[in-house]
C-alpha cells in the first residue's frame, strides 16, 4: 500500500476514533448539569497543580461546587475550600459569572485557579447547554 493510502486510512481511523470518545465535560443527571473542569481547565494551575472542580447547575442556577482531587498543599487548599465552597451556590449562572470573588489570603494562587475554573465551567455550560 502506498503512503498516500496509508495516510488516508490513518486519517479516517482517527476521525472515527474521535467520534467514539465521549465528552465527559458536561453531563446531565436528573435535570442537573454537571460540568467537570478536569479537561477544560487543565491549563489553569494553582500554586502547585491544577484545581479541577465539578460545578452543578439546575434550572440555570448554581447548586454546588465540588472540589476534585488536587495536588495543592492540603493545609492551604482546605482554606480555599472553606472560604469559597458556597460562594456561588443559589446564584443564577449570569450572576455567578459576574460575581467578584476575592482570593483567600495566603492561598492566592489556589484561590485564583478555583475562581477561574468556576468561570470556565459557567462559560462552558452557557455555550453547550
Amino acid at each position: 500500500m502506498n503512503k498516500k493510502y496509508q495516510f488516508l486510512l490513518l486519517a479516517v481511523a482517527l476521525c472515527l476514533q474521535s467520534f467514539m470518545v465521549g465528552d465527559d465535560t458536561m453531563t446531565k443527571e436528573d435535570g442537573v448539569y454537571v460540568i467537570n473542569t478536569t479537561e477544560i481547565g487543565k491549563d489553569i494551575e494553582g500554586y502547585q497543580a491544577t484545581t479541577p472542580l465539578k460545578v452543578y447547575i439546575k434550572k440555570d442556577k448554581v447548586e454546588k461546587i465540588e472540589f476534585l482531587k488536587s495536588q495543592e498543599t492540603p493545609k492551604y487548599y482546605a482554606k480555599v475550600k472553606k472560604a469559597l465552597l458556597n460562594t456561588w451556590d443559589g446564584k443564577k449562572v449570569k450572576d455567578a459569572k459576574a460575581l467578584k470573588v476575592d482570593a483567600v489570603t495566603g492561598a492566592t494562587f489556589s484561590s485564583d485557579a478555583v475562581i477561574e475554573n468556576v468561570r470556565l465551567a459557567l462559560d462552558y455550560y452557557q455555550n453547550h447547554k
Side-chain angles (χ1 to χ4, degrees), residues 6-120:
Q6 286 177 336
F7 178 75
L8 182 61
L9 186 59
L10 178 62
V12 169
L14 289 174
C15 285
L16 289 174
Q17 183 180 10
S18 70
F19 285 115
M20 293 174 11
V21 174
D23 181 7
D24 293 330
T25 300
M26 185 164 69
T27 58
K28 188 175 181 183
E29 304 163 7
D30 298 325
V32 178
Y33 288 93
V34 181
I35 298 88
N36 183 328
T37 66
T38 301
E39 280 301 311
I40 61 174
K42 64 185 174 192
D43 295 329
I44 300 171
E45 291 200 9
Y47 185 70
Q48 292 188 20
T50 58
T51 57
L53 308 168
K54 282 188 178 179
V55 178
Y56 294 76
I57 300 170
K58 185 174 185 176
K59 296 183 181 177
D60 211 42
K61 287 187 179 181
V62 177
E63 273 202 334
K64 69 177 182 174
I65 307 292
E66 178 184 341
F67 286 67
L68 301 177
K69 186 177 179 180
S70 174
Q71 299 301 313
E72 293 291 274
T73 307
K75 175 182 171 183
Y76 295 104
Y77 206 47
K79 284 182 172 184
V80 172
K81 287 179 186 178
K82 184 177 179 183
L84 299 180
L85 185 62
N86 300 318
T87 302
W88 296 272
D89 292 2
K91 295 188 176 32
K92 290 187 178 213
V93 171
K94 69 176 186 143
D95 296 334
K97 280 178 59 175
L99 194 62
K100 301 292 182 200
V101 180
D102 292 330
V104 177
T105 303
T108 306
F109 292 116
S110 300
S111 300
D112 288 343
V114 167
I115 293 164
E116 185 61 31
N117 267 293
V118 170
R119 288 193 182 120
L120 185 67

